[in-house]
Amino acid sequence: MKIAVDAMGGDFAPRATVEGSYRAAREDGTHVVLVGDRSVVEAELGRLGSAVPSIEVVHADETVGMDDPAITPIRKKRRSSIRICAELVRDGEAQAMVSAGNTGAAMIAAKLLIGTIPGVDRPALAAVFPTRSGRTVVLDVGANVGTKAAQLRQFAVMGHAYAQGLLGTAAPRVGLMSIGEEQTKGTDLTRAVFEQMKGSGLNFVGNVEGRDVFRDTVDVIVCDGFVGNVILKSAESLASLMASMLREEMGRTWRTRLGYLLSRPAFDNLRQRTDYREHGAVPLLGVQGGCFIGHGRSSPKAIQSAIRGAVEFVRAELHTKIEEEVAELHAQEDRLMEEGNVEEVS
C-alpha cells in the first residue's frame, strides 16, 4: 500500500509535510510517496536524518497556491503536486492521497482525475467529532454548498458506510441537521430530505439539532457543506479557546499549577479526544480511492495522523463499501419507481 502526500501543500510545507511523512514511514512503516520539488523535498529529508526505504519522491514542477482557483490543477498547473497525487491514485500507483494544500483544488483533482463512485453525484467531506462515549460523523463539511435532496440522501448512505467500516458502529443512527426535531421544522430542502430518508432503509432517527453533534444521540449527521463547515470551524475555534482558557487558569497560582501536574494524564487524554491534529485530515467520500484533506495549518503530527487515517481507510476498503451501498440505494429507488410508489428522486 502506498499513500501519496502533497509535499508542497499547507502553510508550513514542505517542512511539516515532509516531517510528518517521515514519521509515518519510520514509526508506522507506511510506504509514502512524497510529491513535490525533488530538490526541496530531498533537502528536508536529509535534515531529518537517515534515509527510510519506504519513502520515495516523485517530482512536481508546480505548486497550487492557497489563493489559486480550485480548477487550477486541471486547466493551468498540470504538473502541480496536487494533480500528480491524484494521478498516482487514479493509475493505481498509490491507494490514497493526502493534501493540506488548497482544499478546493484537491477536491476538484480527486473528483475529475480519480473519478467518482458510480451513482454518487457529488463527493462529500466527512468530519468525525468526539462525544462522551464515542464519535459522530458529520457530512458534508465543506465540499458542497448547494445540494439537492437526493444528494443529501447519498451523503447519508456514505456516512453510514463510513461509520460502520471505520468506526465499528454496527447500525449507525442517522440524523438530519435542522433547527428542530419536528418533521415540519427546517427549510424546504430539509423537509424534502426527511421524506426521502424515511424510505432509505437506513437507521434514520429524524431531525437533529446542533447540540446533538456532541451528545452521543446520533452516529451520522447529514447537512449541506455550508452548514457543516460552520459546525466544523466553530468546533475547532471552541476547542482552541477552551484549551487556551484552561492553560491560563491553571497557571494563575501555585495551587492550580500543582493541580494541573497531578491531573495531567486526564488533560492529555482530553486533548487527544478534541485536538484536530490527532485525526489529521477529513476524507472526501464518494471518489474511487482515498482522498484526505488536511487543515492548512497542519503540523507534522497532523500529517502523520492524516496518513494513518488514509491507511485505515484503504485497509477497510471503504470506497468499495460505499460503492456497494450507493448501488443498493439506487436499486431500491428503481424498484420503488417501477412499483409506482415514489416519483423520480431529485
Side-chain angles (χ1 to χ4, degrees):
M1 180 195 309
K2 295 183 180 180
I3 307 298
V5 178
D6 173 16
M8 313 306 290
D11 296 345
F12 306 121
R15 176 156 293 196
T17 50
V18 173
E19 184 175 338
S21 299
Y22 183 86
R23 292 182 186 178
R26 191 177 185 86
E27 298 171 13
D28 306 329
T30 306
H31 193 135
V32 178
V33 182
L34 280 166
V35 182
D37 185 305
R38 183 180 294 277
S39 61
V40 174
V41 172
E42 290 181 345
E44 286 296 326
L45 287 172
R47 179 183 65 84
L48 294 169
S50 58
V52 179
S54 56
I55 293 180
E56 61 180 284
V57 180
V58 171
H59 181 67
D61 296 315
E62 300 171 302
T63 300
V64 176
M66 290 295 197
D67 296 326
D68 283 338
I71 201 67
T72 296
I74 304 300
R75 291 184 176 173
K76 293 184 178 180
K77 297 181 179 180
R78 304 175 71 86
R79 298 307 302 161
S80 62
S81 52
I82 285 181
R83 180 180 178 118
I84 293 175
C85 281
E87 289 176 343
L88 289 171
V89 177
R90 177 197 64 192
D91 298 338
E93 296 178 34
Q95 285 63 57
M97 63 176 282
V98 171
S99 176
N102 186 310
T103 299
M107 291 190 299
I108 289 290
K111 181 178 179 180
L112 298 183
L113 297 175
I114 300 174
T116 57
I117 288 171
V120 172
D121 296 333
R122 296 185 182 182
L125 288 169
V128 178
F129 292 83
T131 65
R132 177 172 295 181
S133 60
R135 289 176 286 180
T136 298
V137 181
V138 178
L139 72 166
D140 177 28
V141 293
N144 307 280
V145 175
T147 53
K148 298 179 180 180
Q151 291 162 350
L152 284 171
R153 188 157 77 143
Q154 291 173 14
F155 295 172
V157 171
M158 293 192 292
H160 173 270
Y162 187 73
Q164 271 193 332
L166 215 58
L167 304 185
T169 308
R173 299 160 294 175
V174 180
L176 175 64
M177 180 60 69
S178 188
I179 58 171
E181 296 179 356
E182 299 85 356
Q183 181 177 348
T184 55
K185 291 291 184 68
T187 63
D188 291 341
L189 175 62
T190 57
R191 286 191 290 270
V193 176
F194 193 104
E195 285 296 325
Q196 292 189 16
M197 289 293 294
K198 289 193 298 185
S200 65
L202 300 175
N203 183 17
F204 180 55
V205 298
N207 286 342
V208 296
E209 301 176 77
R211 62 188 179 187
D212 292 297
V213 174
F214 305 101
R215 287 180 63 188
D216 199 26
T217 57
V218 66
D219 303 299
V220 178
I221 295 178
V222 179
C223 56
D224 67 29
F226 185 94
V227 173
N229 195 257
V230 170
I231 293 172
L232 177 65
K233 297 297 175 58
S234 298
E236 288 178 351
S237 177
L238 178 60
S240 177
L241 172 64
M242 294 302 293
S244 176
M245 293 172 65
L246 186 60
R247 285 194 298 270
E248 181 179 332
E249 292 299 324
M250 286 296 180
R252 285 192 182 278
T253 68
W254 69 267
R255 287 187 176 88
T256 56
R257 288 194 292 270
L258 177 60
Y260 170 74
L261 292 174
L262 294 174
S263 306
R264 187 167 183 174
F267 287 119
D268 287 344
N269 290 336
L270 177 62
R271 178 183 52 78
Q272 289 179 357
R273 293 174 64 182
T274 58
D275 190 349
Y276 78 91
R277 293 174 299 177
E278 296 293 336
H279 304 286
V282 295
L284 183 65
L285 303 183
V287 296
Q288 294 274 23
C291 176
F292 280 71
I293 299 176
H295 203 292
R297 300 195 305 272
S298 290
S299 64
K301 181 177 183 178
I303 295 297
Q304 182 180 11
S305 297
I307 294 171
R308 285 174 177 167
V311 169
E312 291 176 358
F313 185 95
V314 174
R315 283 179 177 163
E317 299 180 334
L318 254 298
H319 81 276
T320 300
K321 289 182 172 62
I322 290 172
E323 182 172 358
E324 292 171 351
E325 294 207 16
V326 170
E328 175 56 33
L329 171 68
H330 288 299
Q332 181 188 59
E333 292 172 354
D334 292 341
R335 289 193 298 269
L336 292 173
M337 288 180 62
E338 289 175 0
E339 296 168 0
N341 291 333
V342 295
E343 297 179 357
E344 184 176 358
V345 178
S346 60

